[in-house]
Amino acid sequence: MRILIAAAGSRGDVAPYTGLGAELSRAGYDVALAVPDTFEPLAREAGLEVRRLPADTRVRGSGTRGRDVMRTAAAFVTELGQGFADAVDEGTDLLLLSTTTAPLGWHLSEATGTPSLGVYLQPTTPTGDFPPVVTGSRSLGRLGNRATGRFALRMVDRVYEQAVAQLRHRLDLPPASPSETRRRQERAKRPVLHGFSTALVPRPSDWRPGLDVVGNWWPHHDPAERLPAELEDFLAAGPRPVLVGFGSMASGEGERLSEIAVRALRRAGLRGILQAGSAGLAADGDDVLTIGDVPHALLFPRLAAVVHHGGAGTSAAALRAGVPAVTVPVTADQPFWAGRLAALGAATDPIPFRSLTAERLADSLNRVVRQQSHSRAAATAAQHMAKENGARRTLETIQKLTDG
């Protein structure tokens, strides 16, 4: 059986599917991962076939809002939609669709008759339990949360409008708006699996059957992989350090962020590791080391804390390691995950990206490292997450679907 997983966005929107794909491959499935060119090496390292999705995933700056964000997102998905049809061939037996690719993949499924299964990294279905992930707002009560959740979906449908119209025309399908298609999916009670932990987001009490939270899909890494020697030496040379990294965020802000990070670390009397990322963080000194990409699973358990942007994957990786966090959310769903970590007690209150100063960061680092309550909360969550196996749950669901 041939499975195609389609994912696009930032690195954090793609990397979890390398682990899921590898698990399905080990179970005997023929798995391909459709991703933008940037992430082809991630798929190949996991032993997966690669299909190309044409989309520019670079995050340009971090200060755009409102119409600019909508326009950028619409351009991204329109480009994505134009090449998505090429990634699905006649031999594909099942489509696994991420949050980003599902509103396009549904139409491919309709045109080809290929079954699809949602595999989402964010909870997108409206619920009274919390506000929509993209608003980053406080709870408005059950009715208000559901209303804003429905509004958020309408905004997403607007982003996909042009892409869907072009894709359906190419596939010789009759016109149908993104909102019509979404309603059809809901009426059919199509299954959607959510790859995050119930430690962070318990399954909402008002979700319909078929919407399940299965636990994280962890990025693939070679079991034989080791941390670089320079990093090992730094870890061994003193107390546990703090990692500071912004992943795919904050391009062009490296100099400002590096200066803030180093000043804050020294003010708090802590050793630090700066992860370059898209921002290009860098600093020199006996108490600070700059690194590139390394597997979270290898590094995080050896840290005192993680300062990060609140991405879903980094938030989960820190919790899995039982390490507390200071979050500095930049955009999109990051304020949501940052808020969930704080509510759990595993992180301090989020520092908005534009409000970040060395003084605020140092104060938060002092609290998160020296107040044991944050570490205890993270350790409790880690024990909960150790009992979850998102990839295995997904495999079991696929086996039931295909056997049926």
Side-chain angles (χ1 to χ4, degrees), residues 7-14 36 39 55-59 76 80 100 248:
S10 70
R11 184 187 179 99
D13 296 314
V14 172
F39 306 116
D56 184 354
T57 60
R58 289 170 297 179
V59 179
F76 169 78
L80 181 63
T100 310
S248 302

Side-chain angles (χ1 to χ4, degrees), residues 19-229:
L20 174 59
E23 174 77 12
L24 297 176
S25 184
R26 282 191 293 270
Y29 293 100
D30 185 354
V31 183
L33 184 58
V35 291
D37 288 345
T38 316
F39 306 116
E40 181 177 332
L42 296 182
R44 296 217 182 278
E45 286 164 16
L48 304 175
E49 181 190 339
V50 181
R51 307 276 179 84
R52 181 178 179 272
L53 291 182
D56 184 354
T57 60
R58 289 170 297 179
V59 179
R60 298 179 180 85
S62 52
T64 56
R65 287 190 176 86
R67 287 182 185 176
D68 289 339
V69 171
M70 294 283 282
R71 196 178 300 118
T72 302
F76 169 78
V77 298
T78 299
E79 185 185 4
L80 181 63
Q82 287 171 351
F84 199 172
D86 296 326
V88 182
D89 61 23
E90 292 181 1
T92 302
D93 298 304
L94 178 65
L95 284 172
L96 299 189
L97 302 172
S98 72
T99 316
T100 310
T101 60
L104 299 168
W106 295 330
H107 308 281
L108 289 165
S109 187
E110 180 183 342
T112 63
T114 306
S116 67
L117 173 66
V119 284
Y120 293 2
L121 297 177
Q122 300 87 9
T124 60
T125 302
T127 173
D129 288 7
F130 47 79
V133 298
V134 292
T135 64
S137 62
R138 296 181 183 278
S139 176
L140 301 173
R142 297 197 66 80
L143 289 177
N145 288 343
R146 286 190 65 82
T148 53
R150 289 191 292 270
F151 176 76
L153 287 183
R154 286 198 294 274
M155 291 300 98
V156 170
D157 291 338
R158 282 183 58 188
V159 166
Y160 281 84
E161 204 159 20
Q162 183 179 354
V164 164
Q166 291 182 5
L167 182 58
R168 290 187 71 86
H169 177 75
R170 176 177 171 177
L171 297 171
D172 291 324
L173 293 172
S177 70
S179 55
E180 287 174 56
T181 310
R182 188 185 296 281
R183 286 195 293 271
R184 209 156 53 218
Q185 295 289 316
E186 280 303 300
R187 283 196 298 271
K189 293 184 166 50
R190 293 287 172 83
V192 178
L193 306 182
H194 296 82
F196 48 79
S197 175
T198 54
L200 260 184
V201 184
R203 184 185 183 279
S205 55
D206 52 359
W207 271 7
R208 65 164 173 82
L211 301 177
D212 294 312
V213 179
V214 299
N216 287 88
W217 303 304
W218 301 109
H220 169 81
H221 73 87
D222 186 337
E225 187 172 0
R226 297 291 179 265
L227 295 176

